[in-house]
Amino acid sequence: MKRTVIAISSIAVSIFILILIWVLLSTIKNPQPDAIILNKLTFLPIDNFHPEPSEHWQYIIGTISFPVICALSLLVINNLIQKTKRSVKNIYLIFSFFTVFLLIILALVGLRNVQNNYLSPTILFRSPFLAIIFSAVVLVFIYRFQKNKTLNRLHNIQYFLGGSCLILLVCLETIFNESEPWVPNVHFIAYFDSVVQVFLGKTILVDINAQYGLYPLFLVPIFRIIGLNVFKFTIVMSILKGTAFLSLLLLLWCSIKNKAIAFFGFASIAFFFRLRIPIDIS
C-alpha cells in the first residue's frame, strides 16, 4: 500500500511539473536572428541559426514523461500479477510483446516527423511490421536461451565482448591528426581552441570565452605532462568517451540479471549516440 501511494504521488508530481514547464516555456518567444550581422560574420545560411523547438520539446517531454510511464507500467504489472498469480509467465510474455509492439509503433511515428534520423536508411525503418517481427524473434531467442545455464554463460561472454567492441569503435572513430580535412572545421575548433588558449597561459572568462564551459581547466594538467597537439587531444577525448560508455555498460551489466537485455540496451545507446546503418564513423 505504501509503495502504491508513493508511486501515485510521484506520478502526480511529475504531471504537475510537466504542466508547469509547459506553461512557462509557452510564454517564451525565441528572438529572431539578425540576418544582416550574421551575413557579415559568416557564410553559413540564416536557417542554421534558427532555434530548434522540436528537438527542445522532444527532450523535455521525453525526460519528464519517462519516469511517469515507468511508474504506471509498474502499477499495471503489479496489479496483473496479484490478480492472476497462476499465469504470471503468460501475462508477462503477452504484456512484453504488447509493450514492444506499442513502443516500436510510437517510435516509428515519431521518427517519421524528424529529418536526418539514424534509422531512415534501414529496412527496419521502411518496414515497420518487419521491425515488429524482428523484435519478437529477439525476445523469444532471449527467453529460450536463458534457461540453459551453459549457453547462458557463453552468451553472456559474447554479449560483454560485443559491448566492448562497440566501445572500441566509439573510441577509435575520432582519433586523428593535423592532416585530416576536418581539423579546421568550426565544430572541432569550437572545443579545441579553448584548450590551446589555456595551455598557452590565458584564463577563461578573463582573456577568452569558452563556448562549452570550463573543461579546459581540467584537461590542461594532462597536456602539461603529455604535450598538446591534435592527435594527443583526440586520444584524451576518446579515452574520456570510452570511460563514459564503459560506465554505462557496467551499470547495465550489474543492474540487469538478463545480460542479453543489458547488451541490447547498451547497443541501443551506442547506436543512437554514434553509429549508423550502414555504419558511418566519419
Side-chain angles (χ1 to χ4, degrees), residues 43-62:
F43 59 88
L44 296 174
I46 190 69
D47 292 338
N48 287 17
F49 296 90
H50 284 292
E52 299 177 339
S54 175
E55 291 82 354
H56 182 71
W57 277 111
Q58 287 174 17
Y59 174 79
I60 292 176
I61 295 174

Side-chain angles (χ1 to χ4, degrees), residues 248-249 252 256 259-272:
L248 290 172
L249 176 61
L252 294 175
I256 301 175
K259 304 310 178 186
I261 298 296
F263 167 74
F264 285 119
F266 177 75
S268 300
I269 295 173
F271 175 82
F272 282 103

Side-chain angles (χ1 to χ4, degrees), residues 118-150:
Y118 283 87
L119 294 178
S120 57
T122 69
I123 189 171
L124 294 180
F125 180 77
R126 296 192 295 268
S127 303
F129 289 104
L130 182 61
I132 295 169
I133 295 173
F134 173 77
S135 300
V137 171
V138 170
L139 280 177
V140 172
F141 174 82
I142 293 171
Y143 177 75
R144 294 297 301 175
F145 278 89
Q146 287 296 314
K147 291 185 175 182
N148 189 309
K149 292 185 178 180
T150 303

Side-chain angles (χ1 to χ4, degrees), residues 49-234:
F49 296 90
H50 284 292
E52 299 177 339
S54 175
E55 291 82 354
H56 182 71
W57 277 111
Q58 287 174 17
Y59 174 79
I60 292 176
I61 295 174
T63 302
I64 297 176
S65 62
F66 183 73
V68 179
I69 295 173
C70 290
L72 287 173
S73 301
L74 178 63
L75 290 176
V76 172
I77 293 173
N78 284 337
N79 289 332
L80 288 175
I81 291 176
Q82 291 175 2
K83 291 180 181 179
T84 56
K85 293 182 179 180
R86 295 180 181 178
S87 56
V88 170
K89 289 186 177 180
N90 293 332
I91 292 177
Y92 172 77
L93 287 175
I94 294 173
F95 186 77
S96 298
F97 282 113
F98 174 76
T99 303
V100 171
F101 175 82
L102 182 62
L103 289 175
I104 291 174
I105 293 297
L106 291 175
L108 292 175
V109 170
L111 288 171
R112 288 189 183 279
N113 296 323
V114 181
Q115 296 179 351
N116 301 322
N117 64 78
Y118 283 87
L119 294 178
S120 57
T122 69
I123 189 171
L124 294 180
F125 180 77
R126 296 192 295 268
S127 303
F129 289 104
L130 182 61
I132 295 169
I133 295 173
F134 173 77
S135 300
V137 171
V138 170
L139 280 177
V140 172
F141 174 82
I142 293 171
Y143 177 75
R144 294 297 301 175
F145 278 89
Q146 287 296 314
K147 291 185 175 182
N148 189 309
K149 292 185 178 180
T150 303
L151 287 175
N152 193 11
R153 293 193 188 97
L154 291 175
H155 284 142
N156 290 347
I157 295 173
Q158 291 177 351
Y159 293 141
F160 193 84
L161 290 176
S164 301
C165 289
L166 287 176
I167 294 174
L168 183 62
L169 277 177
V170 170
C171 292
L172 294 177
E173 64 164 347
T174 51
I175 296 179
F176 49 85
N177 55 31
E178 291 84 353
S179 63
E180 299 294 343
W182 48 77
V183 170
N185 187 284
V186 63
H187 298 293
F188 177 76
I189 294 175
Y191 62 88
F192 180 61
D193 179 67
S194 57
V195 176
V196 174
Q197 297 300 324
V198 173
F199 183 80
L200 294 176
K202 292 187 178 180
T203 303
I204 296 180
L205 304 180
V206 177
D207 304 311
I208 59 170
N209 291 323
Q211 183 171 347
Y212 295 119
L214 305 179
Y215 68 95
L217 299 177
F218 300 94
L219 295 179
V220 163
I222 299 175
F223 296 121
R224 296 289 184 198
I225 299 173
I226 65 174
L228 177 60
N229 56 35
V230 172
F231 179 67
K232 293 179 180 179
F233 177 77
T234 56

Side-chain angles (χ1 to χ4, degrees), residues 248-259 262:
L248 290 172
L249 176 61
L250 292 177
L251 174 64
L252 294 175
W253 203 258
C254 295
S255 303
I256 301 175
K257 184 178 180 180
N258 191 322
K259 304 310 178 186

